[in-house]
Amino acid sequence: MCGIIGYVGDRKAKPILINGLLRLEYRGYDSAGIATMENSGIKCVKNKGRVAELENCEEINILEGTIGIGHTRWATHGKPSIENSHPHLDNKRTTAVVHNGIIENYVELRNFLTNNGYEFFSQTDTEVIPNLINYFYNKNEGKSKIDFLRAIKSTVEKLKGSFAIEILNNDFKDEMFVVRKDSPMVIGKGVNENYISSDIPAILSFTKDFYFLNDLEFAVLSKDNVEFYDINLERFDKQVKNIDWDMSSSEKGDYDDFMLKEIFEQPKSIRETIGARVSKNNMIQIDELEITKEYLQSVDRIYIVACGTAMNAGMTAKKILEHFCKIQTEIDIASEFRYRDPLITEKTLCIYISQSGETADTIAALKLAKEKGAKTIAISNVIGSSLVREADFALYTHAGPEIAVASTKAYTSQIVLLAILALYFAEILGCESEEIEKLKEEILSLPSKIEEIFDNTEQIRKFAKIISNEKDVFFIGRGIDYTVALEGSLKLKEISYIHSEAYSAGELKHGPIALIENGITIVGIMTDSNLVQKTISNLQEVVTRGAKTFIVTNQNLGNFNFDEVVKIPEISSYISPILSVVPLQLLAYYISKEKGLDVDKPRNLAKSVTVE
Ligand code: F6R
């Protein structure tokens, strides 16, 4: 949700913080602020709106310090305003804090502090944090670094909820303090300088060496050192991890928007996700997993749990897993799963999908399964993310950083990896091998087939122009095509703000067809030869009622009166969503462009949803 950045070193902090915030803006863009440590103490500048508005503030020019913290906000408590922007200071203006997450018991803590003479100037949950730190620090006799850490620890022990917190205090002019719980934060290690960020791409241009903080670990950063403390404030060492992401993957390059770049990166991201895992006539290689035939034979149910686009990828995977492994597979929305008391035993295998690996509901759903004794596999795109660290096994999609809020290349890579996983299980279980071999070949053919689809870009762009003023668009498909209809519909509503729904084509007659009227647009997806005639019949019913039709298919449809047919290459229907989604991604993209919207940063959304 919010983005946080921090710098300590020899250089002026301000331009580095602004650079980081601009790269983090996709996490939240309601308001932004930075605080630096000056000779006279903490100085803080904030503004409503995008980071550019912060840069335009005149006061920002007074910030000269070489240590500082910054924040770009996605409002939860309190509307976007200067008062509600971070950093927040305590009443004495000696401690500055930026925070990502939600403090659930902030009302109670506010009352406690108010009763102790503190005043509040914002509507945020965050403002209790610097004041609590100040409260505990003043209660301490000593004023050493460890005394200040004790005050942070006492504060953290009072907080219910999730947080990644950066802290500056006037008594420690060369140091920055951080702590996290259930909210992302990485520490970048430089030469004579160190960085904080809520995710890797924001500081990738400065360093490729990262420390990953676990829940309730504290760190103190100075320009040439990073000290780690556990919850008992005992010092410990942490291994640095090198992230070999290419810097250009988090730059727009020649593209107008990250989303378009990421759509066109899919042949590459899929190739990287396949990697050495699949090769013709060889068993699938997934070295990260230690799973035996005996274990898989004991599994009576697989749960796939995720949110949003990742959940749509999971819906496709359910069909692949059930078909190839013959294990009952259920798909669950993480925010429902965690509260619905699901039937989990030691015979349950739970697979969690999350591009960011930081989605609060997905992480909580994983913790629940672990508590109940199930094995857990995390599928994520971000090395060292929270989800990955919690899971028994982690598999990476290797799609490279995904910056646009609307997920594209992560979705296709997730399906690729889940299909590979299903085949891996099927091979271990000794399932029928001819079909497995065939699907392996088809997986290997995906990158070049996606390239072919790009030849239709102009056709899709033209249709996007025609329907850009629509109020409602419906997506239909059957079987695996229904899972793509859901994803196409989600993409469209997210970035074009057009109301759209996805229906299983067979369900139309059970209610939704009442909405069909002259001129309405229906997107039909048809890639399964066994079901195509059924969906055609459903489409005929809406055409008769005056609907415009945009069809994505790999079938020869014959002589039907559809308005636009995008032909995609043939492929096994089990992995056809990886191809059929591409025209839908492009359709959503060009409609959004046609409407002059900010494709990469759609309203009200943020890239990773680290709060419930
Ligand atoms: C849609 C989109 C969201 C995410 C969802 C889960 O384009 O990006 O629906 O898929 O918020 O995010 P992750 O995969 O990071 O858990």
Side-chain angles (χ1 to χ4, degrees):
M1 311 256 47
C2 308
I4 60 179
I5 184 90
Y7 173 79
V8 48
D10 285 328
R11 296 187 277 163
K12 275 192 192 166
K14 184 189 76 182
I16 295 166
L17 297 175
I18 294 284
N19 177 306
L21 288 181
L22 284 168
R23 290 172 187 276
L24 282 170
E25 217 179 15
Y26 68 104
R27 299 183 71 98
Y29 25 89
D30 293 336
S31 53
I34 58 179
T36 53
M37 185 61 78
E38 306 294 324
N39 291 335
S40 56
I42 294 167
K43 284 269 174 308
C44 178
V45 180
K46 22 198 208 177
N47 207 355
K48 206 178 132 182
R50 301 235 165 151
V51 177
E53 322 271 340
L54 175 69
E55 274 185 286
N56 287 339
C57 289
E58 225 169 82
E59 317 91 89
I60 205 158
N61 298 320
I62 59 165
L63 303 182
E64 298 278 332
T66 58
I67 168 167
I69 56 182
H71 189 268
T72 175
R73 180 167 183 251
W74 186 87
T76 55
H77 296 68
K79 62 181 191 311
S81 68
I82 294 184
E83 300 72 46
N84 290 334
S85 314
H86 299 218
H88 287 281
L89 275 75
D90 69 303
N91 284 181
K92 296 266 180 312
R93 300 189 72 78
T94 54
T95 301
V97 162
V98 301
H99 161 226
N100 183 9
I102 285 188
I103 307 306
E104 288 163 6
N105 59 335
Y106 81 102
V107 175
E108 182 191 313
L109 296 172
R110 233 177 212 249
N111 291 341
F112 168 79
L113 286 162
T114 309
N115 291 338
N116 281 280
Y118 286 82
E119 279 185 82
F120 288 88
F121 303 95
S122 78
Q123 298 150 319
T124 65
D125 51 342
T126 302
E127 204 182 354
V128 296
I129 302 173
N131 286 306
L132 269 179
I133 294 174
N134 176 273
Y135 169 84
F136 287 115
Y137 188 47
N138 284 345
K139 273 180 72 176
N140 284 338
E141 291 280 293
K143 290 283 172 273
S144 68
K145 178 161 74 183
I146 205 76
D147 293 311
F148 189 61
L149 273 167
R150 266 191 212 113
I152 299 173
K153 174 184 152 140
S154 304
T155 301
V156 159
E157 283 170 347
K158 288 260 179 245
L159 304 179
K160 291 202 180 109
S162 60
F163 46 81
I165 306 171
E166 291 180 310
I167 307 152
L168 292 179
N169 179 279
N170 280 346
D171 285 354
F172 309 95
K173 290 219 161 78
D174 300 319
E175 281 158 320
M176 181 192 307
F177 298 77
V178 296
V179 59
R180 73 176 281 269
K181 182 180 155 278
D182 297 335
S183 205
M185 175 188 276
V186 293
I187 297 173
K189 182 179 176 307
V191 179
N192 292 331
E193 52 190 10
N194 289 302
Y195 306 85
I196 296 288
S197 178
S198 35
D199 64 35
I200 294 167
I203 48 176
L204 206 53
S205 58
F206 302 124
T207 181
K208 292 201 162 156
D209 292 330
F210 290 88
Y211 295 109
F212 294 97
L213 266 195
N214 290 322
D215 278 357
L216 296 176
E217 288 178 350
F218 302 80
V220 183
L221 285 79
S222 55
K223 71 173 187 167
D224 39 27
N225 202 10
V226 184
E227 294 172 359
F228 296 98
Y229 295 83
D230 67 15
I231 189 65
N232 301 314
L233 300 185
E234 302 286 343
R235 286 262 317 253
F236 69 96
D237 291 331
K238 216 177 233 302
Q239 285 279 314
V240 78
K241 287 210 171 100
N242 187 270
I243 302 293
D244 64 353
W245 278 352
D246 171 10
M247 182 51 206
S248 67
S249 54
S250 50
E251 304 277 355
K252 250 191 256 177
D254 291 337
Y255 289 90
D256 286 350
D257 306 277
F258 277 108
M259 183 176 174
L260 191 63
K261 174 175 181 252
E262 288 160 9
I263 292 173
F264 278 90
E265 269 174 358
Q266 289 177 109
K268 177 169 178 253
S269 56
I270 288 173
R271 212 172 281 123
E272 305 264 312
T273 300
I274 298 170
R277 289 164 170 153
V278 185
S279 55
K280 253 172 132 178
N281 301 323
N282 287 315
M283 300 277 283
I284 302 263
Q285 295 286 314
I286 304 189
D287 299 336
E288 304 89 319
L289 284 182
E290 285 159 32
I291 291 228
T292 61
K293 184 171 183 177
E294 291 67 42
Y295 168 72
L296 278 179
Q297 282 172 333
S298 76
V299 171
D300 61 4
R301 180 185 294 137
I302 297 176
Y303 280 119
I304 302 178
V305 184
C307 302
T309 286
M311 212 251 332
N312 293 342
M315 283 188 82
T316 307
K318 164 188 158 71
K319 296 191 187 287
I320 313 176
L321 278 159
E322 286 191 336
H323 178 78
F324 283 90
C325 310
K326 309 288 179 249
I327 304 176
Q328 185 194 340
T329 303
E330 288 184 27
I331 173 86
D332 249 285
I333 299 170
S335 54
E336 293 292 327
F337 184 81
R338 61 184 291 196
Y339 294 116
R340 78 166 174 82
D341 196 15
L343 292 172
I344 302 174
T345 68
E346 282 166 12
K347 292 181 174 176
T348 317
L349 171 63
C350 293
I351 302 174
Y352 296 84
I353 315 168
S354 173
Q355 187 283 129
S356 62
E358 301 296 348
T359 301
D361 284 319
T362 312
I363 295 169
L366 186 147
K367 288 183 180 167
L368 175 81
K370 272 181 82 180
E371 274 163 28
K372 296 200 172 191
K375 245 194 218 333
T376 56
I377 299 177
I379 299 217
S380 178
N381 195 36
V382 178
I383 297 164
S385 59
S386 305
L387 188 78
V388 158
R389 279 178 285 148
E390 289 287 343
D392 295 316
F393 301 107
L395 299 180
Y396 290 110
T397 42
H398 302 303
E402 190 179 65
I403 309 290
V405 166
S407 183
T408 53
K409 63 176 181 172
Y411 168 79
T412 45
S413 282
Q414 283 159 356
I415 301 178
V416 169
L417 184 50
L418 285 153
I420 296 172
L421 183 66
L423 295 187
Y424 177 72
F425 287 168
E427 282 185 342
I428 294 179
L429 286 164
C431 300
E432 207 260 305
S433 66
E434 207 177 303
E435 211 188 356
I436 297 177
E437 273 319 308
K438 177 141 191 333
L439 195 65
K440 277 188 207 167
E441 279 179 33
E442 303 239 55
I443 289 174
L444 291 168
S445 76
L446 282 165
S448 61
K449 288 184 174 166
I450 294 195
E451 300 277 6
E452 284 178 45
I453 298 174
F454 294 147
D455 293 343
N456 300 311
T457 303
E458 195 47 29
Q459 178 194 7
I460 298 165
R461 202 183 59 74
K462 281 190 184 142
F463 191 75
K465 203 173 166 130
I466 296 170
I467 64 163
S468 61
N469 290 321
E470 295 286 303
K471 294 272 174 291
D472 308 281
V473 174
F474 296 103
F475 289 71
I476 62 167
R478 280 175 185 253
I480 213 132
D481 293 327
Y482 169 54
T483 69
V484 186
L486 287 165
E487 176 57 10
S489 166
L490 179 61
K491 260 343 45 116
L492 184 68
K493 60 169 81 83
E494 271 188 288
I495 59 167
S496 75
Y497 316 149
I498 293 177
H499 168 247
S500 85
E501 300 289 344
Y503 295 110
S504 161
E507 275 294 292
L508 271 185
K509 280 204 278 288
H510 298 284
I513 202 161
L515 296 169
I516 306 301
E517 54 187 16
N518 209 18
I520 209 158
T521 301
I522 305 278
V523 177
I525 303 117
M526 291 181 276
T527 65
D528 186 339
S529 55
N530 295 321
L531 298 172
V532 64
Q533 288 310 326
K534 308 261 173 225
T535 309
I536 287 180
S537 302
N538 300 127
L539 283 161
Q540 289 303 320
E541 288 153 11
V542 297
V543 168
T544 310
R545 287 162 178 85
K548 279 199 287 298
T549 43
F550 178 86
I551 307 296
V552 177
T553 188
N554 54 17
Q555 307 286 310
N556 288 321
L557 299 184
N559 226 355
F560 290 102
N561 212 5
F562 298 126
D563 292 286
E564 204 64 59
V565 178
V566 177
K567 200 76 196 293
I568 59 170
E570 275 193 44
I571 198 134
S572 154
S573 65
Y574 287 103
I575 53 170
S576 64
I578 298 163
L579 301 186
S580 56
V581 78
V582 176
L584 307 183
Q585 295 169 340
L586 287 167
L587 184 69
Y589 173 81
Y590 283 114
I591 292 176
S592 177
K593 285 303 270 187
E594 193 58 39
K595 293 178 82 170
L597 300 172
D598 186 339
V599 179
D600 287 338
K601 299 190 190 90
R603 72 181 177 208
N604 303 339
L605 291 171
K607 183 67 183 165
S608 76
V609 184
T610 53
V611 295
E612 263 196 69

